Structures are given as C-alpha cells and as structure tokens.
Amino acid sequence: MSATTTIVTGSPRDAEPAGRRFDWGQPFVYLVALVVAAVAVGPVIYVFLGGFRTTADLNANPAGLPDPFTLENWAAVLGSPRFWGNVFASTFLAVATTAGVVIAGIMAAFVLARYDFKGREGLYTLFAAGLMFPLTVAALPLTLLLRTLGLHGTYLGVIIPGIAFALPTTIIILVPFLKAIPDELEEAAMIDGATRIGFFWRILLPLAKPGLVTVGILAFVASWNGYLLPLLVISTGTLPQELWPLPLGVTQFSTQYSQNTGAVLAYTSLAMIPALVFFLLAEKRIVGGLTGAVKG
C-alpha cells in the first residue's frame, strides 16, 4: 500500500484569482479620474444649465440651478438668422478643411509609407516636427502671406492654412496604417494587372478606412472649434459678422449682449453641442484608429 503525498507550493494569496486582489493603487487612479472628469465636464454642464436661467436668476445665485426654468434664451438664439449664418460658416469651413486634410494626407502618407526613395525619413521627420510648430508662431508671416495672395478675409484663407496645420497629425497617424498593409497584397495586385494607382484605390483605401475616419474626425472637430485662425483671417476682413464661424460669433454675441448672460450661455451651449455630439458618437472609431496606428 503506497501513500501519495501532495506538495502544495505557493502561498494562499497566490492561489486567489487575480481579479479579487485589492490593488491599493486603484482608488487613487479612480480619484484622479473623477477629478479630471469633473474639471472637464463641470464647466460644460454649468454653461448648458445656465442657458435655461434668466439673467436675474444668474446674478442672484450664480451657482444655483434654473429657477425658474426658461426656454426663452434658446428660442431667441435659434430664431436668430445670425446664429444660423454662423452655423453655415463653421460647417462649410469644417467640411472643406476635413476633405482637404483627408485627401492630401492619404496621398502624402501613401508615398511615405509605400515608396522607398532618398530623403524619405527626413521628410517624415519634417512632418513630425510640424507637431511642435504652433499657429501663434506663424501668425504674422501667415497674415502677410495671405494679404499678398489676396486670400485675407476669405474662407479659402482659413481652409488652406487649416489643412496645412492638420497635416502633421494626419501623416503621423496614417503612415503606420499604410506600412502595416502586407507587401504581398500589393504584389498580388500587380500580378493581376493592377497599377499602383489601382492598388491605392481598390485595396489600400478600404483597408485604411479606420485611420481615415480618425483623422477626418480630428480635423473636423479642430476646425469647428478653431478660433485663432479665423480671428486672424476673417475678423479683420470684409465678411459680415453673420458669416463668421461660431467661435467668432460667440465672442461677438457675448460682447454685444454682455448684459444678457443667459442668452450668451445659451448661444455658447448651442455652439458646443454639434462638436460634442459628433465627437462622442465617433469616440470608438477614434480610439480604434489610434490603436491601429500604434500597432502599425
């Protein structure tokens, strides 16, 4: 008769499921996340609720809730032709800038990712360095250049620089995407008689769709919220204020109706809502696109 001896190694703590262990670092992480969320979302909620308050209510209790709850501010802003003119200007600028960024970005990224030529790495580094080049540095030379070209005070004078300043981020995101596409696909396409342009249109673009969606969303939101570039180009031109983009429209509205705080907050809320909704709906696509770029 033989005895079987079972030797148990490791402590009882090691035998516990990893998910049940208490991580002392987690409460601190959650606390920091809640603080950051409160700092980011708190002002947005305050502005949104402030649009439902009267100016007298805001002056009496700035930190309170709407009492009484009123829709007059929102109705006044939505019934203003000036607001819809600002919406049209922002939409036109954002759509045109996004289209230019996506088209120019995918073509430049295709060359940098799929072609081997002298100076390729240096050109890619130049685009990467563009991330550290702020618009404020280029304000004066850009204004002088646009005046020389006759584009100052026009939408085109906002769209072209907007595309240029968005290209570095676009290139950084798209190049890894296109590099990750196997060379075997291109070789098979060539064997089937496809040209490089055919490979670009029929195979590469569909595979790069997550990256294109990501850069398109980022470009749209950045253009919609852009303030400094329209301020330099449009506000000093001859375009009427009814055709200024929303960020400039908010500034002008708050200046002219500074005594009507509730209407100013309602105008600001309406200006923020499209970008917030668009960004929230596309959040998963942005994360997926950036994840693919990192993996590439």
Side-chain angles (χ1 to χ4, degrees):
M1 186 174 185
S2 61
T4 303
T5 303
T6 303
I7 300 176
V8 179
T9 60
S11 61
R13 181 181 177 85
D14 295 333
E16 295 178 359
R20 296 183 181 179
R21 297 179 185 174
F22 184 77
D23 188 355
W24 288 98
Q26 291 301 317
F28 178 74
V29 172
Y30 293 146
L31 177 62
V32 172
L34 288 175
V35 171
V36 172
V39 172
V41 179
V44 177
I45 296 177
Y46 178 81
V47 171
F48 184 77
L49 292 178
F52 296 101
R53 305 177 65 185
T54 62
T55 301
D57 184 24
L58 284 166
N59 294 333
N61 186 11
L65 294 175
D67 184 22
F69 191 93
T70 178
L71 295 174
E72 292 180 2
N73 298 323
W74 293 73
V77 174
L78 290 174
S80 171
R82 174 178 178 174
F83 171 76
W84 294 109
N86 295 153
V87 171
F88 164 78
S90 288
T91 303
F92 178 77
L93 291 174
V95 171
T97 301
T98 301
V101 168
V102 172
I103 294 173
I106 188 62
M107 291 192 295
F110 174 66
V111 174
L112 291 173
R114 311 298 298 187
Y115 284 75
D116 188 11
F117 58 92
K118 186 177 181 180
R120 183 181 67 171
E121 296 300 328
L123 187 58
Y124 182 77
T125 304
L126 182 64
F127 276 109
L131 296 173
M132 301 180 290
F133 190 77
L135 176 60
T136 51
V137 176
L140 179 59
L142 178 62
T143 302
L144 296 176
L145 178 62
L146 292 176
R147 287 184 184 277
T148 303
L149 297 176
L151 297 178
H152 189 75
T154 65
Y155 288 156
L156 196 59
V158 177
I159 294 172
I160 295 177
I163 295 173
F165 281 100
L167 275 180
T169 303
T170 303
I171 297 298
I172 295 301
I173 294 176
L174 289 182
V175 166
F177 255 102
L178 303 188
K179 280 186 176 181
I181 297 176
D183 294 335
E184 289 77 7
L185 288 178
E186 186 173 358
E187 294 174 358
M190 297 297 180
I191 293 175
D192 291 339
T195 62
R196 282 206 164 184
I197 300 299
F199 168 75
F200 174 81
W201 283 106
R202 298 178 182 179
I203 299 177
L204 186 138
L205 283 183
L207 293 177
K209 183 179 178 181
L212 293 175
V213 172
T214 299
V215 298
I217 293 170
L218 294 177
F220 184 91
V221 174
S223 178
W224 184 277
N225 295 330
Y227 176 77
L228 181 57
L229 184 58
L231 178 66
L232 295 172
V233 179
I234 291 181
S235 64
T236 55
T238 58
L239 279 176
Q241 294 182 4
E242 290 77 9
L243 296 179
W244 289 7
L246 276 171
L248 295 183
V250 170
T251 302
Q252 287 300 117
F253 189 86
S254 61
T255 301
Q256 295 180 8
Y257 299 91
S258 58
Q259 301 300 322
N260 193 352
T261 309
V264 172
L265 293 179
Y267 195 104
T268 306
S269 300
L270 288 169
M272 291 190 302
I273 287 175
L276 287 174
V277 172
F278 186 75
F279 191 84
L280 291 175
L281 292 177
E283 180 183 4
K284 292 184 178 181
R285 291 184 176 272
I286 294 175
V287 174
L290 293 177
T291 303
V294 172
K295 289 181 179 179

